[in-house]
Amino acid sequence: MGARMSALDWSGSPAGEPATWPEELVGAVVTMLASRAQMMICWGPRYATLYNDAYLMTLGDKHPGSLGRPAAEVWPESWDERRRLLDRVITSDRAFYAPDHPFLSERYGFPEMTYFDVSYDPIRDSRGEPRGVLCVVTDTTRRVRRERRSRTLAALGRRLTAAPDQRTLAAEAVATLTGDEDDVPFAVLRLDEPDPHPAIRAVIESGLPGRVPLAEVTDPPPSAAGDALVLPVAGGALVLGRSRFLALDDEYRDFFDAAAAQIAGALRDRSGRTPVADDTAVLREHVSRLRGLVDVAAALNAVPTTAEVLDVAARHVLAMTSAGRVVVTAPDARAEQDGGAAPAAEPDVVLPLPDAAGPPLGELRVWDGAGGPAEPAVLIQLARLIGLRLANARLYETEHRIASTLQHSLLPPSLPRVPGAIVASRYVPGSSEARVGGDWYDVIAAPDGELFLVIGDVVGKGVQAAAGMGQLRNALRAYVLEGFDCGAALTRLNRLVDTLGRRQFATVICVAFDPRTRRLRFSSAGHPSPIVVAGGEPGDFLYAAAMGPPIGALGSVTYPTREHQLPPGSRLLLYTDGLVEDRHQGIDSGLAELTVDAAQPTEHVEDLLDQLLGKASRHDRRDDIALIALEATEHREFVLRLPAAADRLTVLRRRLEDFLAAHAVPDDDAFDLVVAVSEAAANAIEHPLDPAEPVIVVEASLTGDAVLVTIRDTGRWRPATEPGFRGRGLALIGALTELSVHRSPEGTAVTLRRPLRPA
């Protein structure tokens, strides 16, 4: 759909050219195109229509002519109802949700009554005013029809059973069927009529179904189609009008046949004949079996992996057959459900799980239950369903494994450490329901000492998205290392995508950080703004307005580069939209929460990322997440003020390790320094008597060919002879570093000097 949108002539659309679209619309379109849910956007006063691939089944024959057109042209048959809902969202600036909402839809050449779970959410512009509506829908039409018809057949069985005579039975049958006017707008049961319509007489005499023009039988209801079905029933005929809003497909015809079979069985019972079998019971059993198989198929299609397919299959087979035990196996996987069979008993039925393209994929083993053996025909159908779904699961897992391997191989194995910056990153794949996405991050140390932070999100899922991510990541890294600034690098990346042949879309943010001056230079291609947190203040967005469309959205774009100054100790958070997208709240609410969460105090940027991901894991999440956090520190010096508590020594060690690694201190020297400083800090926490302030201050710097570290407290140390003084700490420190201790009324300062070994 992205390629079709790119190639479309937008000059005649009320949406206008994509180059003129506001950031809010661009962001909504990117989200929509990346989603596997059925989504449509209605934008502007005429509700220009944009939609994704998943929505095509909702449009039917209306695609591709509907793209970019006003919604009134797309849905003329139900525009009054749809306009009412869209206007309601715009005027109230509130979301609307309804399950199984009815819409008249002419999508396959005839007006059809359809049903959808609908969620309509406002899309707001930069001033917070609603300008469009994001429509997320799920087609529930088939489920609604099945449930409605099942209720009708169940009611028909009850009322026929209670009817005392044939006349009452006929009246009850007609009343029950026409009570479901959505399926049966007209019904009449013809029994023992002396002069029926010729078409009805032909059915009675032949025992074969037929049709009759409905206008020749009755005054047709407005909702009825032109002809009616005539079905034979025990020496009579059942005339059923069908809805003009429904196609006479197999399910609709099965419903009519089931109703006729129930009536025929009841009539035979009332006529005094001995039926060959209890037709009503047989019919109910048949309908129940069909519904059970449909339920199994639906449940299997809802899970993607082999393990999940086996588990769902075992549970549903046990429920459908009342077996004593069910075991479903595949290579390296097994699922079992126990229904009370003896532990040592052998299975009574073993069936292969067939694969249409090769040898069996596994086995279905079933033990007889207390009610006897399961029907073989049912087990065979179940085995076929499970085998088909297992084949699909294997394809899914193969693609998922390839995409996941490709994606992880392209993420940086480690992050560069440079003086004046602490950087942390995370990547978390989407939930098991989702295929691997195209989120990525990169941290690049440029030759001039700058640190480039890149994070992006390629539209789509699976191998193609991962491959596209690899192309964009490597190209952008090359442009950065060639010396291009952020805006120029994104401009070239967009130009490159336009020449690759296969249309790709991606949002990307590129930030260059100079640790010496703490200056940021940045540019964005449709990506959510990073969050800046400075000095304990609430988080704020780095930019408020769009800097450019997503990569690949337009052929010719020049992305600007902007600047921002970071104060010492401030933090910068880059993220993909998987962190803030939630099915139960809008994207705006998620971003607002993130500005608060990013400002929560943590000892290290690693802790910040863990905290954010911990919160995200508590919500329904399908999309993957990529994160980068940066903290601006002093370039040549290390200063850390900590509470005088032993549990804070971990923070000291982590921060000191970052500082030493950033300044390329050799590993052996860094290890000895961390051990010595940790011991000195432990002494400064444990030994001071009556400190003026319960804190310690650690300062470190590089001086020529040595590292100098000073640990200060605000108290007087107890003498070494007092109980509790271990007495070995200073000796250890002295063995690892050149040690000096200075005591004064203001406190004690322990200074460590570690000469660095030549490289």
Side-chain angles (χ1 to χ4, degrees), residues 317-326 337-341 366-370 372 374:
V317 172
L318 184 71
M320 190 170 177
T321 63
S322 300
R325 181 180 300 114
V326 175
Q337 290 290 317
D338 187 22
V366 181
W367 284 252
D368 292 347

Side-chain angles (χ1 to χ4, degrees), residues 443-747:
V443 181
I444 308 163
D448 61 359
E450 281 192 312
L451 199 62
F452 281 79
L453 314 178
V454 177
I455 205 161
D457 185 357
V458 175
V459 172
K461 303 288 181 184
V463 174
Q464 282 194 344
M469 177 269 286
Q471 288 179 314
L472 299 187
R473 173 190 178 270
N474 291 336
L476 189 55
R477 171 175 274 265
Y479 294 142
V480 166
L481 292 175
E482 283 292 315
F484 294 105
D485 69 10
C486 296
L490 291 184
T491 299
R492 283 163 173 76
L493 186 66
N494 186 68
R495 193 179 304 148
L496 172 70
V497 166
D498 200 42
T499 67
L500 291 179
R502 184 175 61 84
R503 177 63 66 182
Q504 293 177 330
F505 294 91
T507 65
V508 185
I509 174 77
C510 179
V511 178
F513 175 65
D514 188 336
R516 295 155 297 195
T517 63
R518 293 187 295 278
R519 182 188 65 167
L520 290 179
R521 292 182 296 109
F522 59 92
S523 188
S524 170
H527 200 81
S529 170
I531 294 174
V532 179
V533 180
E537 299 175 358
D540 196 11
F541 295 111
L542 183 60
Y543 51 84
M547 297 181 64
I551 297 296
L554 298 174
S556 178
V557 180
T558 299
Y559 293 90
T561 299
R562 296 179 184 166
E563 294 189 4
H564 181 83
Q565 192 70 29
L566 285 184
S570 58
R571 291 177 173 179
L572 181 71
L573 175 68
L574 287 72
Y575 54 93
T576 54
D577 55 11
L579 183 67
V580 292
E581 283 187 344
D582 190 311
R583 298 180 184 179
H584 305 295
Q585 69 174 9
I587 188 78
D588 293 340
S589 299
L591 289 170
E593 283 188 16
L594 184 58
T595 60
V596 176
D597 296 339
Q600 297 300 313
T602 58
E603 302 293 354
H604 197 279
V605 286
E606 297 276 2
D607 302 326
L608 170 64
L609 299 188
D610 289 340
Q611 192 167 284
L612 293 175
L613 290 177
K615 180 176 179 179
S617 68
R618 296 194 292 269
H619 301 287
D620 244 355
R621 182 181 55 79
R622 295 176 60 87
D623 204 2
D624 39 359
I625 298 173
L627 297 172
I628 301 177
L630 174 141
E631 181 173 339
T633 62
E634 293 292 344
H635 184 252
R636 295 294 298 176
E637 296 182 350
F638 171 89
V639 179
L640 184 63
R641 181 183 175 90
L642 288 173
D647 60 358
R648 310 309 287 274
L649 291 176
T650 301
V651 178
L652 169 61
R653 285 191 287 268
R654 290 168 67 184
R655 298 295 292 269
L656 184 59
E657 286 170 353
D658 287 333
F659 175 78
L660 297 174
H663 286 276
V665 172
D667 290 345
D668 291 344
D669 294 318
F671 178 82
D672 289 349
L673 271 167
V674 171
V675 171
V677 171
S678 297
E679 182 63 30
N683 289 342
I685 291 170
E686 179 181 351
H687 299 319
L689 298 173
D690 303 321
E693 191 177 2
V695 299
I696 64 170
V697 178
V698 182
E699 300 174 352
S701 60
L702 271 74
T703 56
D705 58 353
V707 178
L708 198 66
V709 184
T710 301
I711 302 95
R712 292 187 172 86
D713 61 64
T714 60
R716 177 180 58 84
W717 284 23
R718 62 171 65 97
T721 55
E722 290 188 13
F725 185 73
R726 294 170 298 173
R728 300 175 183 172
L730 293 179
L732 173 62
I733 298 168
L736 297 174
T737 63
E738 298 171 1
L739 169 67
S740 64
V741 180
H742 176 72
R743 297 180 174 87
S744 71
E746 289 76 27

Side-chain angles (χ1 to χ4, degrees), residues 309-331:
V309 168
L310 297 182
D311 181 64
V312 169
R315 286 190 282 110
H316 278 76
V317 172
L318 184 71
M320 190 170 177
T321 63
S322 300
R325 181 180 300 114
V326 175
V327 174
V328 191
T329 62

Side-chain angles (χ1 to χ4, degrees), residues 156 160 166-175 177-178 186-193 200 204 217 231-240 259-260 263-264 266-267:
L156 182 63
L160 293 179
Q166 184 169 293
R167 182 181 298 275
T168 305
L169 185 149
E172 290 288 351
V174 170
L177 291 172
T178 54
F186 171 80
V188 65
L189 185 58
R190 300 297 192 190
L191 299 171
D192 304 323
E193 282 196 10
I200 298 175
I204 295 173
V217 178
L231 304 176
V233 286
L238 176 64
V239 182
L240 295 173
I263 295 170
L267 284 171

Side-chain angles (χ1 to χ4, degrees), residues 110-187:
F110 67 96
E112 176 189 13
M113 185 54 67
T114 58
Y115 301 86
F116 292 86
D117 289 345
V118 298
S119 176
Y120 287 7
D121 299 282
I123 304 173
R124 302 176 182 89
D125 61 16
S126 58
R127 298 172 299 175
E129 299 293 330
R131 293 275 308 282
V133 180
L134 176 63
C135 310
V136 183
V137 303
T138 301
D139 192 341
T140 61
T141 302
R142 298 189 70 179
R143 177 181 58 77
V144 170
R145 291 175 183 167
R146 288 170 180 167
E147 292 176 353
R148 183 177 68 215
R149 292 165 183 171
S150 295
R151 289 193 299 268
T152 299
L153 292 174
L156 182 63
R158 290 193 302 270
R159 296 176 71 169
L160 293 179
T161 302
D165 52 54
Q166 184 169 293
R167 182 181 298 275
T168 305
L169 185 149
E172 290 288 351
V174 170
T176 303
L177 291 172
T178 54
D180 176 11
E181 60 182 358
D182 290 324
D183 288 308
V184 191
F186 171 80

